[in-house]
Amino acid sequence: MKAIVIRKHGGPEALEAAELANPEPGLGEVLLRVRACALNHLDIWVRDGIPAYKIPLPHILGCDAAGEVAALGPGVSGLKKGQRVAVAPGRSCGVCDACLEGADNRCPRYGIIGAQGGPGGYAQYLVVPERHALPMPDSMTYEEGAAYPLTFLTVWHMLMTLGRCGPGQTVLVLGAGSGVGVAAIQLAKLAGAKVIAASTSREKLEKARGLGADEVIHSPPEDIARRCFKLTGGALIDIAVEHVGPAVFDAALKSLKPGGRLVTCGSTTGPEVNLDMRYVFSRQLQILGSKMGTAREMRTVSRLVGEGRLKPVVDRTFPLAEARQAHEYLAERRQFGKVVLAI
Ligand code: ZN
């Protein structure tokens, strides 16, 4: 099969075309003919080689795949050859206390395909456990199928489970044009919340309005905390959906009302932030770290996407052979929604 591999860590030039043997499905697994694989910032971190993701090389990146079932391993009964599916990206042991509790994203052996959870979707074929295959309706393209699992799952866990989002609340979405941002705008609206979207790009903010954002903040130059104060009549916000890091963290924290929650799943502008403790204790704020979501949450998200109530947003598609250009494009942060490889 054709694949893009990394043989050593490095920049986009580390992505190499390769011809590999097709993987074989084992017990309870299916072989997927991958048709699309969406990019995530995680791909860049794994490619660069950050310490949290020690993986054996060579390695195939790609956490968000969709395709059709090409072959069934022994014991598979719920899927048919030719069936169109997206792939739940999380892998867990299934036997530890966290897994048995249904909190599989807290499993000590938790991994994500394309990262520390095995090979990913930058390839023509991928083996997937049957229970990780998420059936797709015929109306959904493979690109859309690949564009939702990781980000929509992540945002569900952030916003609904940890953030306790509900009707009448106000949600601030930082980095509104990212995969997480477009999922957060839609999910907060679905939950009945008011959405304030913030981005450095006016163009992305217009698109954010198109997805349902009630108010937008163009920052910089606008001051996020001041604008949140004004847009809420001084009430401030209930939940900040954060994944940008030092560029916005302080402003997001200061935008929260007493009892507000800042939920973070990433830090794309750097690893360290300033924390003004006075806001944390005097306003009784909660800062909640979030990673992926549970298998049960994945199923809920898949159903809502299948029903068209949440819409994957594809910014641009590149052929697999242009994975390097796709990585360069993602690093420029010009996209609105997901960058996808067609395979
Ligand atoms: Zn476990």
Side-chain angles (χ1 to χ4, degrees):
M1 66 173 181
K2 291 189 192 320
I4 296 289
V5 301
I6 49 167
R7 298 183 192 282
K8 58 181 184 333
H9 294 294
E13 71 286 349
L15 299 164
E16 285 180 32
E19 193 70 43
L20 305 174
N22 288 359
E24 301 234 347
L27 184 67
E29 296 178 329
V30 296
L31 179 69
L32 204 66
R33 171 62 176 92
V34 181
R35 296 293 180 188
C37 185
L39 272 60
N40 289 280
H41 260 278
L42 182 56
D43 300 13
I44 294 179
W45 291 332
V46 174
R47 188 203 69 203
D48 284 345
I50 61 167
Y53 292 97
K54 284 211 171 91
I55 45 161
L57 298 176
H59 176 72
I60 303 172
L61 295 170
C63 321
D64 267 329
E68 75 225 16
V69 176
L72 306 177
V76 173
S77 58
L79 291 170
K80 290 184 297 218
K81 264 178 85 170
Q83 194 167 347
R84 306 163 80 250
V85 296
V87 179
R91 298 287 177 270
S92 61
C93 77
V95 295
C96 72
D97 288 352
C99 282
L100 293 176
E101 207 175 283
D104 46 280
N105 58 333
R106 295 207 300 263
C107 173
R109 288 162 65 192
Y110 191 82
I112 302 168
I113 60 160
Q116 74 286 58
Y122 288 19
Q124 287 178 312
Y125 290 93
L126 174 67
V127 166
V128 179
E130 179 183 12
R131 68 179 188 281
H132 289 271
L134 308 165
M136 285 167 46
D138 291 342
S139 56
M140 192 185 294
T141 66
Y142 286 121
E143 286 77 10
E144 289 169 332
Y148 84 84
L150 191 146
T151 46
F152 280 73
L153 171 65
T154 299
V155 170
W156 181 279
H157 191 69
M158 293 174 80
L159 198 54
M160 307 306 289
T161 305
L162 298 176
R164 307 188 306 281
C165 183
Q169 298 189 352
T170 304
V171 175
L172 171 65
V173 177
L174 288 314
S178 70
V180 166
V182 302
I185 292 167
Q186 294 185 59
L187 196 49
K189 289 308 293 179
L190 194 63
K194 174 180 172 173
V195 174
I196 303 175
S199 170
T200 56
S201 157
R202 277 195 191 285
E203 199 187 340
K204 289 183 185 182
L205 289 172
E206 275 316 301
K207 291 180 178 171
R209 278 195 192 276
L211 283 179
D214 300 282
E215 303 286 355
V216 298
I217 301 175
H218 182 220
S219 174
E222 289 184 308
D223 181 305
I224 290 174
R226 278 206 189 116
R227 287 285 292 146
C228 281
F229 184 88
K230 198 163 182 198
L231 290 169
T232 56
L236 295 170
I237 60 156
D238 296 274
I239 306 164
V241 176
E242 216 299 81
H243 60 104
V244 178
V248 301
F249 188 91
D250 189 52
L253 196 80
K254 289 172 179 169
S255 303
L256 291 170
K257 65 168 62 163
R261 283 87 68 200
L262 184 152
V263 194
T264 173
C265 70
S267 195
T268 50
T269 58
E272 289 172 15
V273 297
N274 282 322
L275 184 63
D276 188 334
M277 290 299 292
R278 296 170 298 179
Y279 285 85
V280 179
F281 59 75
S282 67
R283 290 191 191 169
Q284 304 165 66
L285 304 179
Q286 295 178 35
I287 299 171
L288 301 159
S290 189
K291 187 172 92 171
M292 302 292 285
T294 67
R296 178 68 183 80
E297 290 169 330
M298 185 75 258
R299 195 166 286 187
T300 302
V301 165
S302 176
R303 192 165 61 232
L304 290 169
V305 172
E307 290 169 1
R309 298 171 75 191
L310 296 171
K311 292 189 187 353
V313 178
V314 177
D315 173 84
R316 190 168 159 188
T317 301
F318 290 83
L320 178 64
E322 292 178 18
R324 176 178 174 166
Q325 287 87 333
H327 271 228
E328 287 165 349
Y329 179 72
L330 183 69
E332 290 169 12
R333 302 176 197 278
R334 283 187 296 157
Q335 81 282 3
F336 184 84
K338 302 297 282 181
V339 179
V340 180
L341 297 173
I343 299 165

